[in-house]
Amino acid sequence: MDLDLIPAPGAAHASGAGHFLLTPATTLSAAAGTEGVARWIRSTVGAATGLPLGPGATAGGIELVIDPARPREGYRLAVTAGGVRIEGGSAAGVFYGAQTLRQLLGPDAFRRAPLDPDADWRLPETVIEDAPRFGWRGMMLDVARHFTPKEGVLRQLDLLAAHKLNVFHFHLTDDQGWRIEIKRYPKLTEDAAWRPRSKRGHRHSSLWDETPHGGFYTQDDIREIVAYAAERHITVVPEIELPGHSQAAIHAYPHLGNTDVVDTTALGVWDDWGVNPNVLAPTDEVLRFYENVFEEVIELFPADFVHVGGDECPKEQWKASPAAQARMRELGLKDEDELQSWFIRHFDAWLAERGRRLIGWDEILEGGLAPGATVASWLGYGGGIAAAKAGHDVVMCPYQQVYLDYRQADGDQEPVPIAYVRTLEDFYRFEPLPPELTEEQRKHVLGTQANVWTEVMDSQERIDYQVYPRLAAFAEVAWSELPAPDKRDFTDFEGRMAAHYRRLDALGVDYRPAGGPKPWQQRPGVLGRPIEGTAPNV
């Protein structure tokens, strides 16, 4: 049955030859636990159609019900000539059924207001049964390299929800900026949230934009973002980088750095991209500082997971630091990799005592993985395979497959075309589960996420261009039970994308068209368009 749905549902069939017509008399009945979904339907479908969708249980309406016998995020959507019923294993399942309902109504159901007040809103008689393949279906947004204002974050959450993604990984701190208010340490946002200039292009570029850049989220902003995400059944996972990618924090509080080998008072917020040599000092004072930071972070974010980065931590300063070497001897550590592991293990235990779980990039494997840690595997598949075989949970996000800052085609039309070419089809053929894992080991793969690093994305339009439509292909990989990559029907997916492009148009997304960038998308903009090598760029 051709319904042009993305992601593709598990099963769909026509239940009749007729249709159900939404009218001003159509009611929306929300059983206990589904009230939030009803609010969302009225604020989106109701706004687009101009229909009130008032409460009531009369015949000829839309009914929302929780059926605990279904998978937690699974749903059954049944459309008959007499009405619509969405049953979900939880409120999340009902919500995903509502997302499918919105797609069935056509692209105009994605508008903010009615395009035609006299339009017919018809749903074909259909039964759809569906559930996701993975429990972690995520996107990471880097707001440290280029800041996305709160309204832009809320917009991205709406777009994630429209693609049935359920994790928003919030990369809040890095060398180039600290983006979250910490009341105990005000200089983190007074000083560390701002840099004097930015590199134009990628890391090897010699061009600069001399405009100061910065911004941060107040704690009230964070609460609003988290609540907005929760209404859309999206978990927000915060990331506070340590012990590397920390120059912005060291700029604000110089004692955090290795003061016996570098004048940390002379360090600014970094204005370049790449791997930075300035890392945190292995002192008790630094541990207490970040414990205090995490105390405020976990009060703001109810997610089970807290991401601590742990990637790209050069060891040169620790090797040169008498204080760091003395600390290693005191702790009985044989090398600097074990010193990094000591950092991660400390916060693994600290978070576990407070009912949270630590997640970090592959490099947290160096020196030995902390007992409760989960690995976000970006350096290819190897780290994820090693972690899963050792009994640790894994989120697969290999850079060669799912980095959305990478170029989408060869040639000089691509704006800031960095690294490898990764097309829409490449994303559609990504497979999160490595074949090397046994069935038992595969259970440790929680899911997958696509990563949006913003060194070369200085605006909402540039993020839109890089992320969409490739995120639609990724979302289908994360949600749907697809054949092996070489057996997937990309032609069918492209056909369904024809309708999905119209949905993205209605949502105001400045995506990259299938035939190549539009003229205004090719403009150099503030970042220029140099070709910039092929190195990974976390």
Side-chain angles (χ1 to χ4, degrees):
M1 184 178 185
D2 186 10
L3 297 173
D4 292 329
L5 298 175
I6 288 178
H13 64 271
S15 58
H19 64 269
F20 173 71
L21 180 66
L22 275 69
T23 72
T26 300
T27 59
L28 177 57
S29 169
T34 69
E35 298 88 350
V37 182
R39 285 193 299 272
W40 180 85
I41 292 174
R42 291 190 180 102
S43 69
T44 53
V45 174
T49 60
L51 301 175
L53 301 176
T58 59
I62 301 170
E63 186 180 8
L64 310 179
V65 179
I66 291 177
D67 177 3
R70 296 192 174 277
R72 193 185 72 81
E73 293 185 292
Y75 66 89
R76 181 180 189 272
L77 168 62
V79 181
T80 68
V84 178
R85 181 179 173 91
I86 302 175
E87 301 171 354
S90 67
V94 176
F95 179 73
Y96 297 128
Q99 289 286 359
T100 299
L101 173 73
R102 189 187 191 190
Q103 289 197 18
L104 290 174
L105 284 168
D108 285 343
F110 288 76
R111 296 186 179 277
R112 291 178 178 270
L115 183 66
D116 177 2
D118 299 320
D120 280 349
W121 296 98
R122 296 170 182 264
L123 292 165
E125 289 189 303
T126 310
V127 175
I128 296 172
E129 300 216 32
D130 202 9
R133 181 186 185 193
F134 291 110
W136 185 303
R137 307 179 303 280
M139 187 189 86
M140 187 223 71
L141 179 63
D142 165 22
V143 296
R145 275 52 177 265
H146 280 99
F147 180 65
T148 295
K150 178 185 70 176
E151 291 73 18
V153 174
L154 300 180
R155 176 178 178 271
Q156 288 299 330
L157 292 171
D158 280 328
L159 292 171
L160 296 190
H163 291 85
K164 296 187 172 75
L165 298 176
N166 68 345
V167 175
F168 178 63
H169 174 174
F170 209 2
H171 186 81
L172 288 162
T173 73
D174 216 294
D175 298 300
Q176 297 85 359
W178 185 285
R179 306 294 180 214
I180 177 173
E181 178 188 26
I182 301 297
K183 300 220 180 256
R184 185 159 182 166
Y185 301 118
K187 289 183 179 180
L188 289 172
T189 43
E190 291 172 0
D191 297 341
W194 309 92
R195 62 176 182 262
R197 63 176 188 168
S198 300
K199 174 70 69 72
R200 293 178 63 195
H202 205 223
R203 62 177 66 178
H204 304 302
S205 171
S206 60
L207 304 175
W208 295 90
D209 172 14
E210 299 295 338
T211 307
H213 180 83
F216 66 92
Y217 309 100
T218 67
Q219 294 199 354
D220 282 344
D221 289 337
I222 295 292
R223 292 185 184 95
E224 182 179 347
I225 289 167
V226 169
Y228 195 87
E231 281 279 308
R232 287 147 184 80
H233 300 277
I234 295 171
T235 299
V236 183
V237 175
E239 181 179 359
I240 306 295
E241 278 269 14
L242 61 86
H245 285 290
S246 299
Q247 182 162 317
I250 295 169
H251 162 69
Y253 294 93
H255 70 278
L256 298 175
N258 294 280
T259 57
D260 56 344
V261 293
V262 64
D263 179 9
T264 55
T265 63
L267 296 176
V269 176
W270 208 28
D271 54 16
D272 206 344
W273 318 128
V275 180
N276 187 296
N278 295 296
V279 302
L280 298 176
T283 66
D284 288 340
E285 193 172 11
V286 168
L287 297 182
R288 299 294 89 75
F289 182 97
Y290 276 86
E291 287 171 359
N292 291 333
V293 168
F294 283 123
E295 284 282 6
E296 296 191 31
V297 167
I298 64 176
E299 188 275 328
L300 294 167
F301 294 93
D304 290 338
F305 285 93
V306 175
H307 204 297
V308 301
D311 62 308
E312 296 182 329
C313 178
K315 311 299 192 299
E316 284 72 21
Q317 287 186 359
W318 290 345
K319 290 177 181 177
S321 165
Q325 293 298 310
R327 193 66 195 263
M328 287 169 54
R329 289 191 295 272
E330 173 194 337
L331 296 168
L333 306 177
K334 68 180 181 182
D335 58 24
E336 289 75 19
D337 283 347
E338 288 194 355
L339 185 59
Q340 176 169 322
S341 179
W342 168 80
F343 262 105
I344 302 303
R345 287 172 182 269
H346 175 86
F347 286 104
D348 178 64
W350 188 92
L351 288 166
E353 289 171 359
R354 289 153 182 82
R356 305 302 179 92
R357 297 181 63 185
L358 180 145
I359 183 171
W361 304 113
D362 290 77
E363 290 91 331
I364 67 172
L365 290 160
E366 296 173 3
L369 188 57
T374 296
V375 174
S377 187
W378 74 276
L379 285 168
Y381 286 93
I385 292 169
K389 286 184 174 181
H392 291 274
D393 288 341
V394 177
V395 175
M396 296 303 299
C397 46
Y399 71 88
Q400 290 192 352
Q401 281 74 31
V402 291
Y403 268 30
L404 286 160
D405 50 333
Y406 285 5
R407 69 183 80 173
Q408 301 177 68
D410 282 322
D412 61 4
Q413 288 187 323
E414 290 300 305
V416 199
I418 66 167
Y420 310 95
V421 172
R422 287 297 173 262
T423 65
L424 182 67
E425 183 171 359
D426 290 331
F427 269 73
Y428 192 65
R429 298 196 187 280
F430 164 58
E431 175 49 53
L433 282 177
E436 296 91 333
L437 298 180
T438 66
E439 204 60 42
E440 191 63 30
Q441 291 163 351
R442 287 181 172 212
K443 295 176 183 177
H444 287 291
V445 179
L446 303 179
T448 183
Q449 70 179 36
N451 294 338
V452 183
W453 299 105
T454 61
E455 288 96 334
V456 296
M457 296 181 226
D458 65 329
S459 66
Q460 175 177 290
E461 291 75 21
R462 187 64 77 226
I463 291 174
D464 278 3
Y465 179 87
Q466 291 297 131
V467 172
Y468 302 97
R470 292 185 295 182
L471 193 72
F474 171 82
E476 183 148 309
V477 169
W479 178 278
S480 306
E481 291 286 351
L482 298 177
D486 61 339
K487 305 292 185 184
R488 292 176 189 170
D489 189 347
F490 181 67
T491 301
D492 171 74
F493 177 76
E494 281 188 304
R496 287 181 285 119
M497 278 301 298
H500 200 65
Y501 284 124
R502 296 196 295 274
R503 296 177 194 127
L504 296 176
D505 286 332
L507 289 166
V509 178
D510 198 16
Y511 59 88
R512 183 190 190 277
K518 302 169 188 174
W520 64 86
Q521 292 173 325
Q522 297 177 38
R523 63 175 175 78
V526 71
L527 292 176
R529 289 211 326 261
I531 302 289
E532 295 294 357
T534 59
N537 59 304
V538 168

